[in-house]
Amino acid sequence: MIKKFIMTGMLCLIVTSLQAQKALKLNLRSKENTEVSPIVKEKVEEYAVKINTIIQEEKKLMETELLELQAQNLDKTEFDRQKALVAEKYSAKIDARIESLGFDLDQVIQKQVKYSLLNTDVTSNEELKEKLVKKFRATKDFSGYFSYGIMTLTNDKPDNELDRNLGYANNLEFGLKFNYQFSRTSPWGFISGLGFSWRTIRTDNNMVFTKQNAEVFLSPYNGSLDKSKLRTGYIMIPVGLQYNFSKLKNAGMDIQYRPYSDGFRVGANMYGGIRMATNNIVKGGTQSFRDRSNYQVSPFIYGAQFTVSYDNISLFVKKDFSNFFKDKYFENDKALVFGVAIGW
């Protein structure tokens, strides 16, 4: 019995030393470390000091009694027998005194678990429940994202000149996404945010975008053409809903919650955009230029997007309901984008 308490005391002293060095790590969650609760640390230190005091006091008394026994000049066999009886007597005394301290190990462990969960000490079940409700409240946050998509132009009428000479097109976007979970356990949430999108269409067949008297059309390039692309930037605002398939989790104290931004999710939203600028970039053997003037690209766009996500990776498809160009220019061409997004 005494060995168990001595080992407990040594363990407490080791815990205290490690905590002083900020190096104690308790694996209370998978792959997750935490420091020792100040209350737990204080109780462990207090208990270790009391154990050490008991051992030292009884050790001195035992040494005194052994000296008295040694003075009796007993033969070795009898001395060893008497010495074992003295050691057993003081072992029992130490056990009894340590047990009388009333150290509740289960209570200390419970306090440490609570601290590991909430990173703060709590003194009552009411306070614990309040902390849990606060920690596992519904998600309301902003997260960054970056997306890249392959773009094409759809047309419900016979192909126009751009359709016949369209090369590779893409959509590059980054921004902030706002997540608003309707309740702590709800799988549904509202999504919005603010993004910056750059849509680039490249021409093929040695054709370039040309302007003449505010008219925009495609014309052949005289010479070897290395690059011809029309890039337009938009400020984008999405508004929609998201559904999360994650299962409910138990936080304790009859409090459940559903992770909103992790796991498998689907979302659908409308979006609108305001044009920032358009840049016509041409590079070739005979002429190269950048022109930021008006190329009759629509100043406002709107459409719908469907997204499938898992953790921070998303696949999406978005379709404009507005024409890529305004008025009569390249009529009925609407952007269709397939892409991938990464969140952080």
Side-chain angles (χ1 to χ4, degrees), residues 57 82 97 129 131 142 158 186 219 236 297 316 332:
E57 289 175 355
Q82 293 287 340
R97 290 185 63 183
K129 189 167 185 177
K131 295 286 187 182
F142 283 94
S186 175
S219 63
M236 306 290 290
V297 179
F316 66 87
N332 298 305

Side-chain angles (χ1 to χ4, degrees), residues 174-186:
F174 71 88
L176 291 174
K177 179 182 176 183
F178 176 63
N179 302 296
Y180 183 94
Q181 188 179 12
F182 292 144
S183 71
R184 185 173 57 250
T185 58
S186 175

Side-chain angles (χ1 to χ4, degrees), residues 66 69-70 74-84:
L66 287 175
L69 184 65
Q70 191 174 10
L74 301 173
D75 60 65
K76 186 177 185 305
T77 302
E78 180 63 19
F79 177 78
D80 288 343
R81 188 182 71 81
Q82 293 287 340
K83 180 180 178 180

